[in-house]
């Protein structure tokens, strides 16, 4: 496929030198790479520096990417705004709705039948509004974007939290909710709080079993799941050029697991090689002309502490393979430490399933290294002792590794090739080897391992590692075997070699992409009147002060409450385009602080415990609005805006927490919900079952705290001080009922 949107890239590079020069003059100092990209994409150049972590800034991203699960709601919102065509290059990628069960061919065929109306809707709305459409089977959004659209120095937003994958090609790519995508597709500026910048210095060179995945696994252990919140992670140092662009993409992809806004690498020869290998010589040639602007200024690398808000050093020479988990992606252990921890913590030692691939680790290089391990194992009579699955990242990668014999080598040791889709990584996995209550272990080269995420079974202990480590454990069949030091059935494994890029070039995917119509005005969007999967959106109503008086606490969530807990994926993905139906999964995974149980809250009117969505619907039917109370880093994980839209739809008015994850807090603001945090985190303990909370929305103002009056069932009252991060524009969204209401009003 010819390079897409080349004129846009050419114009971006032509303007880059003058914009960066202006930013350097205005700031009066050398620039980090992050600053170069951000300031060159601002809606207007400021007269003074935007304060990191404080100022809200308007940007004009170069493009938008959406996957099929989130695109449904994003495009339903776009349609309701009454805009004839997208203002920036945009694409839809069908990768989330394909369930993994038996194998690539049968799973894809079944998905095309099961999801026909959704795929038809996405194809028709894309054709009508000028959006590029990637058909089911073409590949996972982030791999396809890397192969076709990402370019050094660009800026992109995507309706998926792992959009930062494109940082592997030097792009600032940020995961957002669908309402943010609507802003950009409508030609409006997109707002982001000016991020802080964490500098990660890489020195040396990896060798042996160590891979780029181990860099981010180690960093997750250092920063934890919230250590990158509100920050962009910028990698620098001589070590950055020592490994491939796809290896860099792996690291950037999983930066979402530390809460980072995004991650980015400086331009180097590895990026040039990847652009040329994916038939983008024209982009590579253009990038060379502005190469000095696609890296941090020399002074930054010489004195990083003067330019970054935090600096972390990782020595690639001494980096060991890591395994993270279970149940959280930031519990990081080196291999030798991990095998001991399995025994000490009584984690299930038998490995049931080893899974490689996903958007994080499905490149040609990843697959080539696993194939190298498989070939060595076969030559020594070894086969996988666990179930072993392979998920290629795109049809281009799948066809190429089939041509080069990699798939056959993996199948020879017992591997099963799944469809070019997300599958088990996002809960679209129909396991037949376990049932609820069965304590078991799996290990994946994916990015997340929250409880029940992969298979819906809370007893599954999911660990995250590199594809090489996953393949070695598949051969061992047991997580207590240190394969770097211990033989497997008398055979010592050798570290894999692998190839960065195919010698014969990539095998292109001739059928995966569908261009939009030249004139979409006559194209009809396909939504059946009786559909239970697609539903046109009705605008949310503007708030009234009396609705915020004596609101019952629907749920006080305990501990980790991710977007998976708030709006589960898996089988619920089928309802991502139907707000009413998918709202039946609202908070069903969140743990109630009162009874330490999921999906069981007390209805203050009946006195009985019931499922959370049913209780919320009862309150809504009575005309009663409610609030939810949460713990630290509430809303971490996926970008899914359903986790904000469902509470809004079922009568929620405010979410009060100790702290928020970035994307989810923005999604709440966009949908007209109040995201509030305790000024004193200990006030979380003040909230009891049966409490009612009153908020004065007339007092909502920039920088001003709100007071929550908490009325307890015993007749006593507490007053709690709450803060928010809303600016004037966001308060405008709130008073309009949602950000979309304002967009629709402007378009009319």
């Amino acid at each position: 496929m010819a390079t897409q949107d080349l004129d846009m890239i050419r114009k971006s590079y032509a303007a880059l030198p003058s914009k960066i020069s202006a930013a350097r003059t205005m700031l009066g100092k050398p620039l980090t790479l992050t600053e170069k990209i951000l300031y060159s994409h601002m809606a207007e150049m400021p007269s003074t520096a935007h304060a990191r972590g404080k100022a809200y800034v308007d940007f004009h991203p170069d493009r938008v990417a959406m996957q099929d699960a989130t695109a449904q709601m994003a495009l339903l919102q776009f349609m309701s705004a009454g805009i004839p065509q997208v203002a920036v290059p945009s694409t839809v990628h069908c990768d989330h709705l394909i369930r993994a069960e038996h194998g690539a061919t049968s799973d894809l065929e079944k998905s095309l039948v099961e999801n026909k109306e959704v795929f038809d809707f996405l194809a028709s709305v894309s054709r009508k509004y000028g959006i590029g459409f990637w058909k089911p089977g073409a590949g996972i959004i982030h791999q396809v974007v890397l192969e076709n659209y990402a370019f050094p120095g660009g800026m992109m937003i995507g309706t998926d939290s792992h959009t930062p994958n494109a940082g592997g090609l030097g792009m600032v790519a940020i995961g957002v909710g669908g309402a943010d995508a609507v802003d950009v597709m409508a030609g409006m500026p997109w707002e982001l709080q000016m991020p802080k910048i964490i500098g990660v210095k890489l020195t040396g060179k990896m060798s042996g079993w160590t891979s780029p995945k181990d860099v981010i696994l180690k960093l997750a252990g250092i920063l934890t799941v919230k250590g990158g919140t509100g920050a962009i992670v910028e990698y620098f140092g001589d070590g950055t050029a020592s490994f491939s662009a796809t290896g860099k993409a792996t690291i950037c992809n999983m930066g979402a697991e530390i809460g980072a806004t995004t991650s980015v690498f400086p331009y180097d020869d590895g990026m040039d090689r990847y652009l040329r290998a994916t038939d983008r010589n024209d982009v590579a040639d253009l990038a060379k002309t502005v190469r000095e602007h696609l890296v941090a200024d020399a002074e930054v690398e010489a004195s990083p502490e003067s330019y970054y808000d935090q600096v972390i050093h990782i020595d690639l020479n001494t980096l060991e393979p890591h395994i993270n988990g279970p149940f959280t992606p930031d519990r990081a252990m080196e291999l030798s430490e991990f095998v001991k921890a399995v025994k000490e913590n009584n984690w299930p030692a038998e490995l049931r399933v080893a899974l490689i691939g996903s958007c994080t680790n499905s490149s040609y290089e990843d697959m080539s290294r696993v194939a190298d391990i498989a070939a060595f194992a076969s030559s020594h009579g070894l086969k996988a002792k666990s179930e072993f699955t392979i998920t290629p990242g795109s049809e281009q990668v799948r066809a190429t590794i089939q041509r080069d014999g990699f798939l056959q080598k993996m199948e020879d040791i017992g591997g099963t090739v799944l469809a070019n889709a997300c599958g088990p990584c996002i809960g679209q996995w129909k396991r037949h080897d376990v049932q609820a209550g069965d304590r078991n272990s799996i290990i994946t080269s994916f990015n997340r391992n929250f409880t029940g995420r992969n298979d819906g079974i809370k007893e599954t202990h999911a660990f995250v590692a590199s594809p090489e480590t996953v393949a070695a454990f598949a051969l061992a069949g047991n997580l207590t075997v240190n394969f770097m030091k211990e033989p497997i059935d008398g055979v010592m494994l050798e570290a894999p070699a692998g190839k960065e890029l195919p010698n014969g070039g990539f095998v292109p995917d001739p059928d995966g992409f569908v261009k939009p119509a030249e004139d979409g005005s006559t194209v009809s969007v396909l939504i059946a009147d009786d559909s239970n999967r697609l539903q046109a959106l009705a605008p949310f109503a503007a708030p009234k002060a009396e609705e915020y008086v004596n609101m019952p606490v629907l749920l006080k969530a305990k501990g980790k409450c991710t977007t998976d807990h708030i709006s589960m994926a898996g089988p619920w993905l089928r309802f991502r385009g139907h707000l009413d139906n998918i709202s039946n999964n609202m908070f069903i995974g969140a743990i109630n602080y009162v009874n330490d149980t999921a999906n069981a809250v007390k209805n203050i009117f009946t006195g009985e415990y019931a499922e959370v969505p049913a209780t919320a619907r009862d309150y809504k039917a009575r005309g009663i609005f409610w609030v939810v109370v949460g713990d630290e880093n509430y809303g971490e994980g996926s970008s899914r805006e359903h986790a904000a839209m469902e509470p809004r739809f079922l009568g929620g008015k405010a979410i009060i927490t100790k702290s928020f994850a970035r994307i989810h807090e923005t999604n709440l603001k966009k949908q007209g919900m109040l995201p509030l945090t305790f000024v004193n985190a200990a006030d979380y303990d003040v909230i009891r079952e049966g409490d009612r909370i009153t908020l004065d929305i007339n007092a909502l103002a920039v920088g001003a705290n709100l007071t929550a009056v908490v009325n307890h069932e015993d007749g006593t009252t507490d007053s709690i001080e709450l803060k928010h991060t809303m600016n004037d524009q966001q308060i405008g969204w709130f008073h309009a009922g949602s950000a979309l209401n304002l967009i629709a009003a402007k378009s009319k």
Side-chain angles (χ1 to χ4, degrees), residues 260-545:
T261 301
T262 192
S263 304
V264 67
F265 274 86
Y267 182 79
D268 62 22
D269 290 344
M271 295 183 190
D272 181 86
R273 290 193 297 272
Y274 187 76
L275 286 169
R276 297 185 189 282
T278 51
D279 289 331
R280 287 177 287 171
N281 289 333
D282 39 19
V283 179
D285 291 340
L286 286 170
K288 275 192 170 183
T289 67
V290 291
R291 184 165 186 153
E292 66 181 287
H293 303 299
L294 303 177
V295 299
D297 287 340
E299 296 90 339
V300 174
E301 188 160 339
S303 303
E305 288 79 7
S306 301
Y307 300 95
Y308 297 112
D309 296 284
Q310 181 181 356
V311 177
I312 296 168
H313 179 208
I314 296 177
D315 181 3
L316 301 180
N317 291 324
T318 59
L319 183 65
E320 295 281 340
H322 277 62
I323 299 95
N324 289 23
F327 310 128
T328 186
D330 60 353
R331 183 171 185 170
M333 294 159 280
E334 292 183 351
L335 176 59
S336 57
E337 180 186 359
F338 170 73
V339 296
K340 293 177 184 176
V342 173
K343 300 172 186 175
E344 292 169 356
N345 292 285
N346 193 32
W347 296 330
E350 178 195 2
L351 180 62
R352 295 286 184 87
V353 192
L355 307 98
I356 67 164
S358 83
C359 67
T360 319
N361 278 108
S362 55
S363 67
Y364 181 88
E365 183 177 34
D366 289 328
M367 296 298 181
S368 75
R369 283 170 65 87
V370 173
D372 198 49
I373 295 169
F376 178 86
S378 289
S379 69
H380 290 79
L382 299 179
K383 283 188 176 291
K385 291 190 175 72
S386 71
E387 187 178 336
F388 181 41
T389 69
I390 302 103
T391 304
S394 69
E395 176 57 21
Q396 180 166 280
V397 166
R398 189 212 62 80
T400 307
I401 63 176
Q402 181 179 45
R403 179 201 65 192
D404 293 351
F406 297 166
L407 282 184
Q408 186 62 55
K409 290 175 182 177
M410 290 185 272
E411 290 174 334
D412 287 345
I413 63 167
T416 298
V417 181
L418 301 177
N420 312 322
C422 300
C425 184
I426 52 128
Q428 286 285 72
W429 183 22
K430 192 170 183 179
R431 286 183 75 177
H432 297 283
D433 63 312
V434 293
Q435 295 179 340
D438 181 5
R439 291 181 80 248
N440 73 101
S441 288
I442 66 173
I443 189 166
T444 80
S445 70
F446 304 164
N447 40 46
R448 294 203 172 119
N449 58 347
F450 302 141
T451 303
R453 177 177 173 86
N454 303 116
D455 57 10
I457 297 174
K458 68 180 190 310
E459 294 84 8
T460 295
H461 292 56
F463 301 95
V464 178
S466 69
E468 299 90 329
T469 295
V470 172
F473 273 124
L475 294 166
N478 191 295
L479 296 177
T480 63
V481 176
N482 184 340
F483 56 83
M484 288 177 64
K485 297 180 179 179
E486 302 173 51
I488 298 171
D489 295 343
V491 178
M492 279 299 303
L493 297 182
E494 291 184 357
K499 296 179 180 179
E500 178 182 340
L501 295 164
N503 293 334
F506 283 102
V507 177
D509 175 10
D511 303 317
F513 179 70
V514 180
K515 290 182 178 180
E518 291 290 336
D519 177 9
S521 61
T522 60
V523 176
S524 297
V525 176
L526 303 178
I527 302 180
D529 292 337
D530 60 349
S531 175
N532 72 346
R533 296 192 63 177
L534 296 164
Q535 178 188 51
L537 291 174
F540 289 130
K544 300 176 182 177

Side-chain angles (χ1 to χ4, degrees), residues 233-260:
V233 178
E234 179 177 322
Y235 293 87
F236 69 100
D238 58 55
T240 61
S242 67
F243 55 95
S244 66
T246 51
K248 294 175 176 65
T250 291
I251 294 170
C252 293
N253 176 295
M254 202 175 154
E257 273 50 75
I258 56 174

Side-chain angles (χ1 to χ4, degrees), residues 171-254:
M171 192 175 206
V172 163
I174 300 174
V176 299
D180 281 348
V182 172
D183 283 352
V184 178
M185 290 189 293
M188 298 174 63
W190 170 65
E191 182 187 72
L192 175 72
Q193 189 173 52
M194 191 67 179
K196 294 183 178 180
I197 310 175
I198 298 173
V200 178
K201 184 176 184 179
L202 302 181
T203 56
K205 186 177 183 179
M206 290 175 278
S207 61
W209 285 94
T210 305
S211 78
K213 183 67 164 273
D214 298 306
V215 173
I216 188 59
L217 293 175
K218 180 178 178 65
L219 187 62
I222 294 170
L223 286 174
T224 77
V225 290
K226 63 178 183 177
T229 302
I232 290 179
V233 178
E234 179 177 322
Y235 293 87
F236 69 100
D238 58 55
T240 61
S242 67
F243 55 95
S244 66
T246 51
K248 294 175 176 65
T250 291
I251 294 170
C252 293
N253 176 295
M254 202 175 154

